[in-house]
């Protein structure tokens, strides 16, 4: 396998979205907090509360947007990002939202108002995507895929590039939660084999782990507390290619680990992370991934779109 | 007036507490978010959810702690910091807590357990302080004053020193909320007249503003949503001296401004700030302090000890 996105494409993406996305801070967490000294990349402080605007901005800004605007299927973080991109760039957006989406995220989407249109329909994500595809074919709107597009991967890769600059290259390992795989694909393309990349998935939605086992992307069942952000039925082709090329290691965490990491993040760091945003830390805390004592580990805290009341014990 | 704490004392404090406190990150906030481009110093991510451990560690580590340990009167962030210091250093602590303290903070204090003893009693902070003074005289425990002690001020000053390094000296103005004045005293001692310092107080508890008006610290009535962290009846002598020497400007915000800033911090940045922690940002948002368009402004977000459910609209 080869890396599907080049370093040049990532540099171009970084320039393209500069000023549109926040440089999210890093915070060193002491070993007492999570069982190992960590550099936490606080990507949950990004616009809209997740890393998703990086990819969405790069996708939108690397094409000519037609009068029909941009379109996406997502009841979650990707939908919020596409709405934010549309509102920022002053273009129309249609977001197709499956019925399973959490109310907190759908309410936030609806709050954008025109030129963002939200259509709730279809039982699951795949149904919403199908509806969006039909609509895009009719209107000519630019589809912003949540993860499996080179411009989206290049945009998400800017998180890894930014972290690399912030830590002056001195990390051994990067731990990232995986849903469809856009963020880890970007990190793998940026770091290559320079940094060990650990993919963390809920045991109940391990699309990347199953793909690595099978040697190709395969469908998996999805459920659990983090399903709204990490519950992709099939990992992206680009993510599979990048993870294979980089030699990504995949581990799983269970729902109790994730909820425990959310509570620790609030108790010890005063951060509100959504389940998917806390999953990478859960892998350290639970021992799903055990670093060597002198291993320099960075962990991405990648989403904050939870009800704040849900993170207290 | 002269500065009550020297740059040398602040450098010594920084060395003394190194590794005990977190280097809290800074985050650039775009003008769309709060009405002016800002550097936010995220001191709410400090241990125990406020800046207070800086001063408490420096006070404890710059003396020989007797067998009776350390003692403080506080039902809030200072009490949490002293408990954290005791637990970290393995010394005893007695915390005297007034009955008005918010349950969220008292519960956190009680959760430390031995060697931290929590005594709830006395209607107000002054009563708890009196009880703590009587107890300290009997046991010989080291009193950790919440703000009006040179070692506490030097410790809090490390926040300003750290920010100065993070922004490479390029800020014009620093906006800080004031209660008893420990944090602003430290910032004034560090920055002197190099940086304009704006003190933000609730209109209902303006101890520093009243002192600057009167030419000396005077008692004020205290009330309002931020009273548990900013409601000092009288500003510290050291804070008054430092603020006068630095030419600090004092402005006020009302409770609605503070609550609005808390909600914006959650909606746009996904940070949970307590009322006192959001007060400085409230001054920008409300126009209580209006920077020039090209003024480079840093704002301290200094406390997170709110019920997370309280920050959503």
């Amino acid at each position: 396998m080869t890396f599907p996105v080049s370093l040049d494409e990532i540099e171009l993406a970084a320039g393209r979205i500069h000023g549109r996305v926040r440089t999210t801070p890093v915070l060193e967490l002491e070993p007492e907090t999570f069982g190992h000294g960590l550099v936490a990349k606080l990507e949950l402080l990004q616009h809209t509360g997740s890393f998703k605007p990086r990819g969405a901005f790069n996708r939108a800004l690397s094409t000519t947007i037609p009068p029909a605007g941009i379109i996406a299927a997502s009841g979650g973080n990707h939908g919020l990002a596409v709405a934010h991109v549309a509102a920022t760039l002053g273009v129309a957006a249609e977001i197709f939202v499956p019925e399973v989406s959490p109310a907190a995220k759908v309410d936030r989407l609806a709050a954008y108002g025109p030129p963002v249109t939200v259509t709730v329909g279809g039982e699951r994500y795949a149904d919403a995507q199908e509806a969006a595809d039909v609509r895009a074919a009719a209107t000519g709107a630019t589809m912003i895929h949540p993860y499996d597009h080179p411009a989206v991967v290049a945009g998400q890769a800017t998180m890894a590039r930014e972290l690399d600059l912030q830590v002056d290259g001195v990390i051994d390992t990067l731990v990232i939660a995986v849903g469809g795989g856009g963020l880890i694909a970007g990190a793998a393309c940026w770091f290559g084999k320079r940094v060990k990349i650990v993919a963390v998935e809920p045991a109940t939605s391990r699309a990347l782990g199953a793909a690595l086992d099978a040697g190709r992307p395969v469908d998996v069942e999805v459920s659990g507390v983090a399903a709204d952000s990490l519950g992709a039925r099939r990992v992206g082709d680009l993510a599979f290619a990048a993870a294979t090329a980089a030699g990504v290691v995949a581990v799983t965490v269970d729902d109790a680990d994730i909820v425990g990491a959310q509570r620790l993040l609030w108790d010890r760091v005063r951060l509100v992370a959504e389940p998917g945003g806390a999953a990478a830390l859960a892998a350290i805390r639970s021992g799903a991934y055990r670093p060597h004592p002198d291993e320099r580990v960075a962990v991405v805290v990648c989403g904050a779109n939870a009800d704040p009341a849900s993170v207290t014990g």
Side-chain angles (χ1 to χ4, degrees), chain A:
Chain A
M1 287 284 185
T2 56
F3 292 103
V5 170
S6 70
L7 294 176
D8 283 351
E9 288 171 290
I10 298 169
E11 292 292 351
L12 283 172
R16 201 177 279 130
I17 69 178
H18 180 76
R20 303 288 189 183
V21 298
R22 291 182 180 146
T23 300
T24 58
V26 293
L27 175 66
E28 286 201 35
L29 295 178
E30 50 290 339
E32 297 75 21
T33 308
F34 286 96
H36 191 87
L38 301 170
V39 173
K41 173 68 169 164
L42 305 186
E43 188 65 18
L44 78 174
L45 303 181
Q46 188 52 267
H47 291 297
T48 76
S50 87
F51 64 93
K52 292 283 191 178
R54 293 178 185 269
F57 268 119
N58 192 51
R59 174 74 178 94
L61 291 169
S62 55
T63 189
T64 302
I65 300 172
I70 57 180
I71 186 167
S74 165
N77 292 333
H78 177 61
L80 290 170
V82 172
H84 176 78
V85 166
T88 303
L89 301 181
V91 301
E94 288 188 278
I95 317 289
F96 285 73
V97 174
E99 289 161 7
V100 295
S101 308
K105 290 179 181 175
V106 177
D107 291 349
R108 283 185 177 282
L109 266 179
Y112 278 92
V116 177
T117 309
V118 178
T119 305
V120 180
E123 199 180 340
R124 288 157 168 263
Y125 165 73
D127 304 312
Q129 183 66 54
E130 194 178 310
D133 287 337
V134 169
R135 178 73 178 164
T139 66
T142 298
M143 176 66 63
I144 312 286
H145 194 276
Y147 46 89
D148 208 19
H149 187 286
V152 173
V153 169
Q156 315 306 27
T158 65
M159 187 284 299
R161 176 183 174 278
E162 186 175 289
L163 171 64
D164 203 12
L165 294 169
Q166 288 170 315
V167 299
D168 287 330
V170 287
I171 53 170
D172 298 310
T173 304
L174 178 61
V175 185
I176 306 186
V178 176
L183 187 62
I184 202 164
C189 290
W190 178 259
F191 282 116
K193 291 179 176 288
R194 269 201 295 138
V195 166
K196 178 179 183 179
I197 298 178
V198 177
V200 180
E201 296 181 295
T204 51
S205 59
R206 49 186 298 278
L208 178 61
L212 294 174
D213 290 348
R216 62 185 170 81
V218 292
D219 281 358
V220 296
E221 292 298 311
V222 301
S223 64
V225 294
D228 70 301
S229 60
L230 304 184
R233 288 181 61 81
R234 181 187 282 241
V235 77
D237 291 333
L238 301 179
F240 178 71
T244 304
V248 164
V249 175
V251 302
T252 61
V253 290
D254 65 26
D255 280 1
D257 298 331
I258 291 173
V259 171
Q262 284 182 283
R263 294 205 173 149
L264 268 175
L265 274 169
W266 173 249
D267 283 345
R268 306 290 179 83
V269 199
R270 299 294 189 277
L271 289 173
V272 172
E274 65 184 280
L281 275 164
I284 303 293
R285 178 73 190 174
S286 69
Y289 181 69
R290 293 185 193 280
H292 294 287
D294 58 353
E295 190 174 331
R296 293 158 302 183
V297 179
V299 171
V300 186
V301 187
C302 59
N305 290 319
D307 176 353
S310 69
V311 299
T312 52

